[in-house]
Amino acid sequence: MAENTATPIRVLVVDDEPEVRDAYRQILLENEVTQEMVGFRELRSRLFKRTPAEAARERSVARTGTIEPVFCDGAQAAVNLVKESLARNEPFAVVFLDVRMPPGPDGVWAATQIREVDPAVEIVICTAYSDADPCEIGGLVPPEDKLSYLQKPFHPHEIRQMTIALSSKWRAERRIVRLAYFDTLTGLPNREQSHNRLVGALQAAKDNKRTLAVLYLDLDNFKRVNDTLGHAVGDQLLCVVAERLRSSLRYGGDSAPAGTADSARPGDIARLGGDEFLVLLPNLRAASDAGAVADRLIMALREPVQLALNSLVVTPSVGIALFPQDGEDAETLLRNADLAMYFAKRRTPGTFAFFDASMNANALHRFTVEEQLRGAMGRDEFTLQYQPQFDVRTGSVSGMEALLRWTNAELGSISPVEFIPVAEETGLIHAIGKWVLLSACQQARKWRDEGLPFKRIAVNVSGRQFALAEYPAEVAAILEATGLEPSALELEITESVVMADEVWAQKAINELKQLGISLAIDDFGTGYSSFGRLRHFSVDRLKIDRSFVSSVTECSDDRAIAAAIIAMSRSLRINVTAEGVENFPQLAFLQEQDCQDAQGFLLSRPLPGDAASDLLRRVNDLSDESRSQRLKVIIG
Ligand code: C2E
Ligand code: MG
Ligand code: MG
């Protein structure tokens, strides 16, 4: 990709007279002869004395490299040649154009056409007549600094010097363009350039009614490579990635569907910055072909890379947007391909996804949630509600579960089912979880101080918090700060968190238990734990998931499962709470099975702090009533 002075300078000579073309040939090819004869001349100069003129010529050849002249005799042929060589990425540096070439179009016409095709080429207008007005032609073929004039008959030195001077200027300008439009690390086109290409390709796809695909690639684990092995290794890795993308697009794979391999030329890859790349497939037969290309790129990158004694595996996530269905302009297509990439990465890193319209609304919402969540603590947008847990055998309140609520000015109130995963993904859960535990313990302490009949406060713990080695110390500090006795706190962790890493879970559970608090397994029955394995964990309570409770009256399997969980827990001396009790038949079933605790909308919805305090007071006043009377008062 990098151009050096050894690359020949291509010069186009356009003149209808064979003798004139011969004259050019002699002047321009002299260099080539000189090059071929360098060895011979060196020998000669050692044997004989060189003339100063010869020595100077050899020096200038060494500086400028070889010249590759191409000749043609007409204006139309010249325009075609410029187009073709540009398409091959072998552009001309200089075009010498005769003005009069009867009977075809003249040199000025050719100059305007050539300028439109190639804005960078240096054009020299050659004429024997003084009828060509430089100002006039300059207006027709801008810019003026890329247009020169040569009066016939010319001196050979004029041609030589002009070729050398103009091609040096052309090369210098090309280098500057490269810096502006190409990524210096990988040599791939940069964001700016890829945007221009996309705009051009879109126009062509529109004109020819063709399908075009934009593939947005993002490496999944690049940041880790950069962080752990340093930026130099990161840079090397990016170069390897660029080369693999280039070669797998250039040659296609065995699995490449026909018609796609050569539709993606090497120039259609770009590096957008960081670890993001773009691939343009300008000429697709079928949308599914874009998926096949994405697959091929993923496979090519997946091969381990050997760098700095490390064997690295990088996988890209790829998003695909298609013209015309996913967008008609460059910005929309890029944005949608980026969104699709984001979805692919979230779902399964190292795969590709086609854009679909639902991604827009979902993703936008997800971004807003994340954005707003970042400032939510500072704006004091969180509150806690408390859902009572009842002892269905006595009708008393055995506990209160603290449930987090978030109300945001832009989004309204958002369910924890939606924002907790975002908080976990962004790491915000640690600060939020700490606030929840502190606030819940403060509230519990207050109820205790008021002498309300209340055994424990239950607080949900995210797997992310539970996985931190310092979490038990954090819990201990909060208990200490609030003065709540440890036995009044129960932490709820989900089954999947325990099963994710049993060894770690056992250790963490033991440490927490040493503080004197209780532990409950939340949403029990939805994961894949068994009683056999759970026995090894010293948990105090299982909370039967709502999905079983809600179908105990309809589905005999679920009824059997719920009954079995209750019976086996009793024999293992583990407490049971049934979650999500919504109606009397469900409550009756639980009482039949002698289930101890229940929680659900039938008994009470989650309540704001004040309302929860009121409920506790009401229950307190009922101390002498029977169980059914108590429940009646509570349920209303
Ligand atoms: P969870 O811990 O299983 O909490 C019980 C959820 O079931 C609560 O939803 C509660 O309002 C709801 N629920 C209770 N009874 C019934 C009922 O009879 N019918 C129905 N349909 N639903 C009932 P919520 O408050 O939306 O919380 C959902 C989940 O969000 C919680 O499930 C918990 O996993 C998580 N969560 C809530 N607060 C926190 C928190 O402070 N920290 C963490 N890490 N997670 C929390
Ligand atoms: Mg819970
Ligand atoms: Mg639950």
Side-chain angles (χ1 to χ4, degrees):
M1 147 127 311
E3 230 173 42
N4 55 43
T5 44
T7 320
I9 291 163
R10 287 169 51 81
V11 174
L12 179 61
V13 174
V14 191
D15 203 298
D16 57 328
E17 287 180 59
E19 306 78 46
V20 179
R21 295 201 298 273
D22 273 348
Y24 274 107
R25 190 172 285 121
Q26 275 186 8
I27 300 161
L28 295 174
L29 283 178
E30 200 176 281
N31 269 339
E32 204 140 278
V33 174
T34 316
Q35 279 258 313
E36 282 168 10
M37 308 225 356
V38 160
F40 166 72
R41 287 211 176 127
E42 265 177 19
L43 184 64
R44 191 183 60 178
S45 64
R46 268 189 272 147
L47 297 173
F48 310 100
K49 235 176 135 59
R50 282 182 305 175
T51 64
E54 276 173 338
R57 190 178 302 153
E58 277 162 29
R59 275 201 302 277
S60 103
V61 166
R63 267 201 313 274
T64 57
T66 53
I67 293 172
E68 187 185 308
V70 176
F71 300 91
C72 78
D73 61 0
Q76 185 62 59
V79 176
N80 293 345
L81 276 168
V82 170
K83 269 188 196 160
E84 285 160 19
S85 48
L86 209 58
R88 282 200 314 272
N89 201 21
E90 291 172 357
F92 290 109
V94 186
V95 179
F96 287 97
L97 261 179
D98 186 22
V99 170
R100 307 230 158 165
M101 293 180 284
D106 66 7
V108 177
W109 177 86
T112 49
Q113 299 293 306
I114 289 173
R115 176 56 76 232
E116 262 182 35
V117 179
D118 185 348
V121 67
E122 294 286 340
I123 299 176
V124 184
I125 301 280
C126 313
T127 175
Y129 307 88
S130 48
D131 58 347
D133 176 357
C135 287
E136 201 178 301
I137 305 177
L140 286 172
V141 193
E144 274 187 274
D145 71 323
K146 291 193 161 294
L147 195 66
S148 314
Y149 297 87
L150 195 59
Q151 179 89 38
K152 284 184 184 175
F154 40 71
H155 189 282
H157 285 174
E158 283 180 296
I159 299 289
R160 264 186 52 77
Q161 286 315 115
M162 264 187 127
T163 305
I164 291 167
L166 292 177
S167 59
S168 307
K169 174 172 171 255
W170 176 84
R171 251 190 191 152
E173 285 175 358
R174 224 167 124 77
R175 207 167 299 134
I176 292 168
V177 167
R178 264 181 194 282
L179 288 176
Y181 291 107
F182 290 84
D183 170 39
T184 44
L185 178 66
T186 59
L188 291 176
N190 64 10
R191 181 183 289 273
E192 180 84 25
Q193 167 81 331
S194 76
H195 187 267
N196 295 344
R197 280 186 199 242
L198 178 54
V199 169
L202 268 174
Q203 192 53 52
K206 269 178 204 162
D207 293 345
N208 303 317
K209 300 208 170 5
R210 285 186 181 278
T211 301
L212 171 153
V214 172
L215 275 60
Y216 205 110
L217 270 88
D218 184 287
L219 304 182
D220 298 321
N221 26 20
F222 182 68
K223 193 178 168 329
R224 215 174 50 226
V225 173
N226 245 354
D227 290 349
T228 55
L229 301 175
H231 286 255
V233 175
D235 282 357
Q236 278 176 292
L237 181 63
L238 288 173
C239 290
V240 173
V241 167
E243 191 42 48
R244 286 190 182 176
L245 292 178
R246 236 184 238 136
S247 57
S248 59
L249 283 174
R250 195 180 303 143
Y251 303 116
D254 294 341
S255 59
T260 58
D262 57 5
S263 70
R265 301 187 310 272
D268 290 328
I269 319 166
R271 180 174 171 223
L272 298 180
D275 59 349
E276 291 178 359
F277 296 85
L278 189 82
V279 173
L280 189 63
L281 304 176
N283 201 356
L284 278 186
R285 283 189 324 171
S288 60
D289 288 353
V293 174
D295 236 354
R296 202 167 76 223
L297 298 177
I298 292 170
M299 297 309 275
L301 293 195
R302 208 177 265 168
E303 287 291 307
V305 182
Q306 210 62 42
L307 280 182
L309 301 175
N310 295 288
S311 180
L312 306 176
V313 176
V314 273
T315 55
S317 296
V318 184
I320 305 171
L322 300 166
F323 167 83
Q325 52 265 55
D326 299 335
E328 304 234 330
D329 59 83
E331 284 70 26
T332 312
L333 280 170
L334 279 173
R335 193 179 58 237
N336 289 345
D338 188 10
L339 273 172
M341 181 281 293
Y342 178 82
F343 272 79
K345 197 185 275 287
R346 279 204 70 192
R347 205 185 44 209
T348 324
T351 59
F352 70 85
F354 280 95
F355 171 79
D356 81 67
S358 74
M359 287 179 176
N360 239 337
N362 285 350
L364 223 65
H365 183 70
R366 163 67 174 69
F367 287 134
T368 319
V369 167
E370 181 174 334
E371 206 178 28
Q372 293 298 316
L373 197 57
R374 289 189 187 279
M377 280 279 266
R379 291 188 300 265
D380 224 358
E381 291 176 350
F382 292 118
T383 52
L384 288 183
Q385 288 201 345
Y386 300 88
Q387 187 175 33
Q389 301 171 333
F390 292 92
D391 184 330
V392 287
R393 295 174 304 190
T394 61
S396 60
V397 174
S398 51
M400 286 282 193
E401 178 175 4
L403 293 164
L404 184 56
R405 296 290 174 260
W406 177 32
T407 309
N408 174 265
E410 188 177 333
L411 294 160
S413 74
I414 307 112
S415 161
V417 177
E418 185 179 348
F419 73 80
I420 294 282
V422 181
E424 288 176 333
E425 230 170 85
T426 51
L428 292 165
I429 192 69
H430 298 291
I432 296 173
K434 198 170 174 178
W435 178 88
V436 169
L437 186 60
L438 181 69
S439 311
C441 288
Q442 279 168 344
Q443 177 65 75
R445 175 69 210 254
K446 236 164 94 193
W447 286 330
R448 268 276 190 274
D449 289 348
E450 285 178 45
L452 292 173
F454 154 83
K455 284 204 199 86
R456 62 173 184 270
I457 182 92
V459 177
N460 293 287
V461 178
S462 151
R464 289 293 197 95
Q465 296 172 275
F466 187 70
L468 279 189
E470 53 269 31
Y471 185 64
E474 184 182 308
V475 176
I478 287 174
L479 285 172
E480 169 112 25
T482 53
L484 184 71
E485 69 267 30
S487 60
L489 176 63
E490 185 165 275
L491 295 182
E492 295 189 2
I493 47 179
T494 59
E495 198 182 353
S496 52
V497 167
V498 176
M499 291 303 142
D501 183 346
E502 291 183 43
V503 178
W504 171 264
Q506 179 125 33
K507 184 173 161 284
I509 288 175
N510 288 343
E511 277 181 48
L512 286 167
K513 291 281 299 186
Q514 271 169 20
L515 301 176
I517 65 169
S518 321
L519 280 171
I521 303 287
D522 207 351
D523 306 340
F524 185 76
T526 55
Y528 36 84
S529 50
S530 65
F531 271 107
R533 280 149 94 188
L534 268 180
R535 226 187 14 207
H536 302 301
F537 300 105
S538 39
V539 295
D540 303 272
R541 178 179 306 277
L542 298 183
K543 297 187 72 179
I544 305 176
D545 190 69
R546 180 159 60 89
S547 57
F548 295 103
V549 176
S550 63
S551 52
V552 287
T553 48
E554 297 130 37
C555 168
S556 61
D557 281 354
D558 282 356
R559 192 164 52 231
I561 292 171
I565 294 174
I566 295 165
M568 291 179 83
S569 303
R570 193 180 310 120
S571 68
L572 290 171
R573 290 193 193 78
I574 297 176
N575 298 314
V576 178
T577 300
E579 291 189 280
V581 181
E582 291 183 343
N583 55 44
F584 283 106
Q586 290 165 357
L587 182 64
F589 169 83
L590 295 169
Q591 287 175 328
E592 252 166 53
Q593 301 299 318
D594 206 17
C595 176
Q596 192 187 356
D597 283 332
Q599 176 180 357
F601 291 174
L602 174 72
L603 302 160
S604 171
R605 289 191 173 255
L607 303 167
D610 291 347
S613 306
D614 288 345
L615 181 123
L616 285 177
R617 276 185 210 110
R618 253 190 355 256
V619 174
N620 201 23
D621 296 341
L622 293 172
S623 47
D624 293 333
E625 312 284 330
S626 70
R627 173 182 88 171
S628 52
Q629 278 171 321
R630 276 167 168 276
L631 285 175
K632 223 188 210 157
V633 171
I634 294 162
I635 296 167

